[in-house]
Each structure stands twice: as structure tokens, then as C-alpha cells.
Amino acid sequence: MDDSPNSRRVLTTMKKNETKTGNSKAQEMYDRKRAEDQVFNRMLLWLAGAVIVELVMLLVNRFYVHARASELGGLMVWRTVLMVLLFAGIVLFVAFLAWGVHLRRGDGKRGTLQFILAAGCLCVGVGGFAMRQYSTVAAPLVLATVPGLAILAMVFYLYQREFFGCVLVGGLGIIGLWLFRMVDASNGYYAYLVLSLIVAAAGAVLAWKLKKQDGMLTVKEQEVAVLQRGAAYPAYYVTALLTALLLLAPLVLGAAVAYYSIWVLAAWLFILAVFFTSRMM
């Protein structure tokens, strides 16, 4: 073996490079693990917020919607409290949202807790008011929507963003079909239908723009990565179209179609969950 000074210097340099490469890989793995832990912790915060909101709604359901005969004297107090909660929830929603946006603009990482508080205040205010106004009609819908929002948060943090869009639009469709079964073709359903179609159409336009720019979106002259390259855009298009058709179908075919359409949308979202899970492997 050559034991010249040049050979020793070469070996020393190679060992140093190997050490640097090993340290670099270790640092990369540490950073990735830390990022994954942060994402997981944020998801847990959203789930904890959903649990608290659900407990509040369960209390309203128990002591207002399904009050016992001995508790009827307190219903007027509950009505006042729920009205106050509506206005307080909206005010706190705006305040926490503005606070969260301010923090997020600072370093791009903070503000999650403020967003959770904003969403929780809005859900308590609006959900409580809906149960105040529509009682047994609104209660099941409110109690089911809160866990649905928790599932939506899990999808946002664990899955690809296009699947989040699919679940968002599909979830709006399921809620709308359930609403139709409760209130039939009323003004409330028509307003919800218009809102859902606008959301679905806006998502389709956004998906079309992102596809043209390889998942990048220009915001204030800066490119922001919204979707990864090779995103499954057709999955969203099909979901948006299917949701729109199923929301319109009960207007022509009646409430029975709304019941079966709920299962159709649920089955479609389950198929997408399997599909996107397989893409993660």
C-alpha cells in the first residue's frame, strides 16, 4: 500500500468528507423528524379543539334541545346565552383570526393555536345558534359536523392537499344532502346549494391554474408551492362534479335520492382514501 504523504492526505480528506456526509444525513433526518413532530402536534391541537367544541355542543343538546321537564324553567336563560355566544363567537373569531394571520406572516410557523381558537369560537357560536333556532332539526347536523371538521384537519395534515380538497367538497355534499332530508327544498337548502357549488367551482378553477403551473401559485410576486408535482387533479374534478350532481338530484327526484346519495358520496371518499393512501407508500 502506498504510504506517501500525498496518499495519507487523500485518505484524510476522504475520511473528513465521509464524516461530513454522515453528519449531513443525520442532520437531515433530525430536521425531517422534527418537522413531522411539529405537523403531528398541530394535528393533535386541532383534534383537542374539536373535542372541546363537541363537548360544549353536547351540553347544549342535553340541557336545551332535550331538556327534561324539571329543566324547562331554564330554557329562557339558555336562549339568551346562545344568542350572546353567537355574537361573541363571531367577534372572537375575527380577533383570533387576525392575530393568527399576523403571527403566521412573521415566521410562517406560528399562529396555529390562534386559528384553532378562531375556528372553535365560530363553531360554538354558529352551532349553538343553529340549535337554538332549529332545535332537534339542527342538533344532529351540528353534532356530526364537528367530528367531520376534525377528520378534515387530519386529512389536511396527513394526506396530499388534493385529497383535502376532495374531502372538503365531498363533506359539503354530505352535509347538504342531510340538510335536504331535514328541511326539504327550502330557502335554507337553496342558499347552502349555491354556497357549495361556488366552493366546488372555485376549487376547480384553482386546480386548473395549479396544474398549468406545476402546483405553484403566485402570491404577491412570490411562488408558493400548493400542490406537489404529479398531483391527482382528476380526483378533485370528479369529486366536484359528482357532488354538484348529487346535490341537485333531490330537487328533481325527491328526498329518497338524498339518502342514497349520502352513501354514494361516502363510498367515493372511502375509495379516494384508499387511493391516496396507496400513493403515500
Side-chain angles (χ1 to χ4, degrees), residues 27-38:
Q27 183 64 38
E28 183 180 349
M29 292 179 62
Y30 172 77
D31 292 340
R32 183 182 301 174
K33 183 66 169 58
R34 185 179 179 183
E36 291 175 352
D37 289 342
Q38 289 176 346

Side-chain angles (χ1 to χ4, degrees), residues 190-206:
Y190 282 115
Y192 185 91
L193 175 63
V194 171
L195 176 63
S196 299
L197 294 178
I198 290 174
V199 171
V205 173
L206 178 61

Side-chain angles (χ1 to χ4, degrees), residues 46-85:
W46 278 102
L47 294 180
V51 169
I52 294 173
V53 172
E54 184 73 358
L55 288 175
V56 173
M57 294 296 96
L58 286 172
L59 288 174
V60 176
N61 181 65
R62 163 63 183 82
F63 292 103
Y64 179 77
V65 178
H66 294 98
R68 296 169 182 170
S70 60
E71 300 165 344
L72 294 179
L75 290 185
M76 291 305 299
V77 176
W78 271 103
R79 289 184 65 84
T80 303
V81 169
L82 293 175
M83 178 60 74
V84 171
L85 281 178

Side-chain angles (χ1 to χ4, degrees), residues 7-26:
S7 298
R8 288 197 295 271
R9 281 197 296 269
V10 171
L11 289 173
T12 303
T13 303
M14 290 176 63
K15 289 180 180 179
K16 288 182 179 180
N17 291 336
E18 289 177 357
T19 302
K20 290 181 180 179
T21 302
N23 292 337
S24 177
K25 289 183 178 179

Side-chain angles (χ1 to χ4, degrees), residues 205-225:
V205 173
L206 178 61
W208 177 72
K209 291 182 64 175
L210 290 173
K211 186 176 182 179
K212 291 179 62 178
Q213 301 176 11
D214 290 330
M216 306 296 291
L217 187 66
T218 304
V219 180
K220 294 182 178 180
E221 299 182 354
Q222 293 184 350
E223 288 192 337
V224 179

Side-chain angles (χ1 to χ4, degrees), residues 25-281:
K25 289 183 178 179
Q27 183 64 38
E28 183 180 349
M29 292 179 62
Y30 172 77
D31 292 340
R32 183 182 301 174
K33 183 66 169 58
R34 185 179 179 183
E36 291 175 352
D37 289 342
Q38 289 176 346
V39 168
F40 186 73
N41 290 335
R42 290 173 185 171
M43 184 188 71
L44 290 181
L45 284 175
W46 278 102
L47 294 180
V51 169
I52 294 173
V53 172
E54 184 73 358
L55 288 175
V56 173
M57 294 296 96
L58 286 172
L59 288 174
V60 176
N61 181 65
R62 163 63 183 82
F63 292 103
Y64 179 77
V65 178
H66 294 98
R68 296 169 182 170
S70 60
E71 300 165 344
L72 294 179
L75 290 185
M76 291 305 299
V77 176
W78 271 103
R79 289 184 65 84
T80 303
V81 169
L82 293 175
M83 178 60 74
V84 171
L85 281 178
L86 173 64
F87 291 103
I90 293 175
V91 171
L92 290 174
F93 166 74
V94 174
F96 281 123
L97 183 63
W99 186 10
V101 170
H102 174 72
L103 292 176
R104 185 57 57 90
R105 286 178 176 175
D107 57 11
K109 297 179 180 179
R110 296 182 298 167
T112 300
L113 180 60
Q114 285 72 20
F115 291 145
I116 294 172
L117 291 172
C121 290
L122 185 64
C123 287
V124 169
V126 174
F129 182 75
M131 295 169 78
R132 175 187 186 272
Q133 295 297 107
Y134 303 104
S135 192
T136 54
V137 174
L141 190 60
V142 172
L143 293 176
T145 300
V146 175
L149 293 175
I151 293 173
L152 193 63
M154 292 178 62
V155 171
F156 178 80
Y157 284 109
L158 297 179
Y159 282 87
Q160 300 92 330
R161 296 296 169 80
E162 61 267 33
F163 182 47
F164 171 78
C166 294
V167 175
L168 175 62
V169 173
L172 286 175
I174 291 174
I175 294 173
L177 292 166
W178 192 349
L179 180 64
F180 184 90
R181 297 187 69 241
M182 296 293 180
V183 300
D184 209 350
S186 63
N187 291 334
Y189 180 75
Y190 282 115
Y192 185 91
L193 175 63
V194 171
L195 176 63
S196 299
L197 294 178
I198 290 174
V199 171
V205 173
L206 178 61
W208 177 72
K209 291 182 64 175
L210 290 173
K211 186 176 182 179
K212 291 179 62 178
Q213 301 176 11
D214 290 330
M216 306 296 291
L217 187 66
T218 304
V219 180
K220 294 182 178 180
E221 299 182 354
Q222 293 184 350
E223 288 192 337
V224 179
V226 179
L227 296 177
Q228 74 283 0
R229 289 188 176 182
Y233 296 99
Y236 178 81
Y237 295 141
V238 173
T239 303
L241 179 60
L242 180 64
T243 300
L245 292 176
L246 292 179
L247 284 174
L248 292 170
L251 296 176
V252 180
L253 303 175
V257 173
Y259 173 77
Y260 293 108
S261 296
I262 291 174
W263 290 103
V264 170
L265 265 180
W268 171 248
L269 292 179
F270 176 76
I271 293 171
L272 288 180
V274 174
F275 170 72
F276 281 103
T277 300
S278 66
R279 283 170 61 93
M280 294 171 62
M281 296 179 178

